[in-house]
Amino acid sequence: MDLRNEGLREIHDILRPPANKTPLAPPASSSTTSSNTPLKASSEFIPHIFYALNQITRDPNNVSNHLESSTGFIRHRLRTCKELIAENSECMELLSRTPEEWEQELAFKEQELRIKGALLETLRERIKSASVEKDVKPKSEEPKEPKDA
Amino acid sequence: MAPAVERHEGNLAVSAGHKRASSVSLLQEGTDAAALAEDLKKVRIYSGIVEYEDTLAALVESVDSYKPDMAVAQRLVDADKELFASLDKFKEYDEISTRLGELKGKSTALDTKTRDILEKLNECHDELNKLPYLEQVQFEMDTILEQREKINSSELLDYATKLSKFTRIPPTFDKGSIGPNNFIWPAEDALRKGMLAIAALHSRELTRIPGQDDAEDKKKQTEKPDVPEPAPVTEERRSSFVFGDTSTADDQKSSSAHSDHDDDDAMDLDLDLFNPDEF
């Protein structure tokens, strides 16, 4: 997904990194179930949690097999996303409304702009008419002078 | 001992101030944090992330305690779906952000244009207001012409002369050409005229000659026979003989009286050359 808003892009890349970046999925050599799943789908966290749970059920006596340690990077990324949202006020304001609410707001702003433009147009017409009246008056008086003379 | 106490009190005051400042800043930070938390509650994806974190923590706790809870696992799956559904809407949010930026740019441009036009109109209004109205100018001109006919020039000049004593000189006026009539005090010639007038009233007293006045006084006294005059006691020094001297009758009488008594002296050639009148 190609996003132009920098804040949204950062959050999106953390939660769902691009395919060319390091995948969240576990190494394919150590997996039996995830070897069939595509790498793109592994950007989500659930497959990794399932893999970790599977590892624990297969070898429950292994000390290194703890769900907390294996899901640490997920918590870290979630925490980073939270910080990014909290620090970026523009992003926070943008995400605080639903797209439908934003559509209404955008329609309202467009209407406001149209009114402003119409006001400016009216003002331009009035100035133009005033300047035309000013220009017309001397022209109507000028031809009278030679007649009087 | 006293300075130490004062220093201690000062330190206490400083620490109290620090405490007050820190408490104020803490309060401020607290209110800011509360406001931020309130704003963050409205962000849907933020709530989804928080829920995801909580559910994952619950699942980890249940699994690591060898008591896996399937309900928590199902909640985690739902939270995951919700979170990534929110993430899928980022494309829409991005478009909204772009449109908002465009609208903001248009609004700013319109506001700038409107402000420029209003400023220009205001300037034109001020310039037009500075110009005098034609009717007013004509009325003032007619009034001035009417009043000019009524005013007498000599009265105007007199009034101006009086008024100028209490007003300032125009900056372009030549100070060298100021006459005495323009002073607020009487002019010198007026002062002199006043003195001459007083002198004219007492002209006889001022113009009398001392010798003539004595003779006239004596004449006046002789004209009054009824009033007896006491004989003056004169102890004058005898005047010396001067050749060609024209002495008065009294002097001659006195000299003849003296000549009777002092013949010897008269025969003396009076060689005393000292004349006191010369000194």
Side-chain angles (χ1 to χ4, degrees):
Chain A
M1 195 184 289
D2 208 13
L3 300 172
R4 278 172 285 187
N5 189 302
E6 196 178 345
L8 292 177
R9 191 171 61 242
E10 282 181 12
I11 295 163
H12 186 270
D13 289 351
I14 287 167
L15 291 177
R16 188 180 282 168
N20 56 352
K21 289 192 177 178
T22 311
L24 294 175
S29 59
S30 63
S31 170
T32 54
T33 53
S34 65
S35 59
N36 297 326
T37 55
L39 194 64
K40 193 177 178 182
S42 67
S43 59
E44 295 172 9
F45 300 136
I46 295 294
H48 184 83
I49 294 167
F50 274 132
Y51 173 75
L53 285 171
N54 187 36
Q55 287 294 101
I56 291 166
T57 50
R58 283 179 65 185
D59 191 7
N61 296 323
N62 192 351
V63 181
S64 63
N65 283 340
H66 282 285
L67 191 59
E68 187 169 8
S69 58
S70 56
T71 56
F73 77 96
I74 297 173
R75 286 197 300 273
H76 174 71
R77 291 193 180 201
L78 292 173
R79 199 162 47 244
T80 310
C81 280
K82 278 167 69 180
E83 284 171 5
L84 279 172
I85 292 167
E87 285 170 5
N88 193 338
S89 60
E90 185 194 349
C91 194
M92 194 161 65
E93 190 189 350
L94 187 67
L95 293 170
S96 62
R97 296 184 193 184
T98 60
E100 291 77 23
E101 286 173 352
W102 273 119
E103 283 297 332
Q104 288 179 2
E105 180 71 21
L106 285 171
F108 176 73
K109 283 184 182 290
E110 281 173 357
Q111 179 70 18
E112 201 179 26
L113 276 177
R114 272 198 294 276
I115 291 167
K116 276 186 185 178
L119 270 174
L120 272 179
E121 187 66 25
T122 311
L123 187 64
R124 192 179 69 84
E125 288 294 329
R126 285 183 69 180
I127 291 168
K128 194 177 175 182
S129 63
S131 61
V132 165
E133 280 176 13
K134 196 181 174 184
D135 290 341
V136 164
K137 274 187 181 176
K139 282 178 186 174
S140 61
E141 287 172 2
E142 274 174 8
K144 286 180 183 175
E145 287 176 1
K147 284 177 186 174
D148 294 339
Chain B
M1 192 66 186
V5 171
E6 283 175 4
R7 206 179 304 123
H8 179 65
E9 284 176 354
N11 289 336
L12 281 175
V14 167
S15 63
H18 276 297
K19 277 179 187 171
R20 202 175 299 122
S22 63
S23 63
V24 168
S25 63
L26 278 172
L27 274 172
Q28 184 67 28
E29 283 174 7
T31 52
D32 289 347
L36 185 66
E38 195 66 28
D39 290 340
L40 284 170
K41 272 183 187 174
K42 296 174 189 170
V43 182
R44 196 179 171 191
I45 194 167
Y46 189 88
S47 306
I49 290 169
V50 171
E51 192 184 347
Y52 202 106
E53 275 185 326
D54 294 343
T55 315
L56 183 62
L59 182 69
V60 165
E61 192 182 349
S62 66
V63 169
D64 286 347
S65 61
Y66 301 103
K67 291 175 186 174
D69 191 348
M70 289 303 290
V72 175
Q74 188 58 46
R75 265 172 43 205
L76 185 68
V77 171
D78 294 341
D80 186 84
K81 279 181 184 173
E82 195 179 338
L83 177 65
F84 284 93
S86 299
L87 206 62
D88 287 337
K89 286 184 179 175
F90 268 33
K91 186 70 181 172
E92 288 178 51
Y93 278 114
D94 191 52
E95 285 173 5
I96 288 164
S97 171
T98 309
R99 283 171 65 190
L100 268 175
E102 286 172 3
L103 286 175
K104 198 176 180 182
K106 281 181 186 174
S107 177
T108 309
L110 270 177
D111 286 345
T112 310
K113 199 175 175 181
T114 310
R115 193 174 62 244
D116 290 345
I117 289 168
L118 288 175
E119 280 177 1
K120 196 73 185 171
L121 280 174
N122 197 31
E123 284 175 15
C124 293
H125 181 258
D126 289 345
E127 283 181 12
L128 284 171
N129 272 344
K130 282 177 188 172
L131 295 173
Y133 291 103
L134 185 64
E135 293 83 6
Q136 187 185 351
V137 170
Q138 282 179 346
F139 174 74
E140 284 178 359
M141 197 178 285
D142 294 342
T143 311
I144 288 166
L145 287 172
E146 281 177 11
Q147 287 179 351
R148 194 183 286 173
E149 289 171 2
K150 293 175 186 173
I151 294 167
N152 190 3
S153 62
S154 59
E155 284 180 11
L156 186 66
L157 283 171
D158 288 342
Y159 178 69
T161 309
K162 286 177 185 174
L163 194 68
S164 64
K165 294 173 183 175
F166 307 104
T167 53
R168 288 189 174 184
I169 304 166
T172 53
F173 191 75
D174 185 14
K175 290 181 181 177
S177 66
I178 296 174
N181 288 333
N182 291 322
F183 294 142
I184 57 170
W185 59 85
E188 192 177 352
D189 57 342
L191 285 169
R192 290 186 179 191
K193 280 175 189 171
M195 290 297 290
L196 285 171
I198 292 164
L201 289 172
H202 304 283
S203 61
R204 295 190 66 183
E205 293 171 9
L206 291 168
T207 54
R208 70 177 181 183
I209 300 165
Q212 288 179 354
D213 289 343
D214 293 339
E216 285 176 2
D217 289 341
K218 282 178 181 176
K219 279 180 184 176
K220 283 178 184 174
Q221 285 172 1
T222 51
E223 284 171 3
K224 295 175 184 173
D226 299 336
V227 182
E229 189 181 356
V233 180
T234 55
E235 293 180 355
E236 290 180 355
R237 187 176 178 271
R238 183 182 62 84
S239 61
S240 60
F241 178 78
V242 178
F243 287 103
D245 186 19
T246 54
S247 58
T248 58
D250 293 333
D251 294 338
Q252 286 175 358
K253 282 177 184 175
S254 62
S255 63
S256 62
H258 284 292
S259 62
D260 293 338
H261 298 286
D262 301 323
D263 289 336
D264 297 335
D265 293 335
M267 287 302 291
D268 196 5
L269 289 175
D270 196 6
L271 295 175
D272 187 9
L273 298 174
F274 177 74
N275 187 6
D277 294 332
E278 290 179 3
F279 295 96

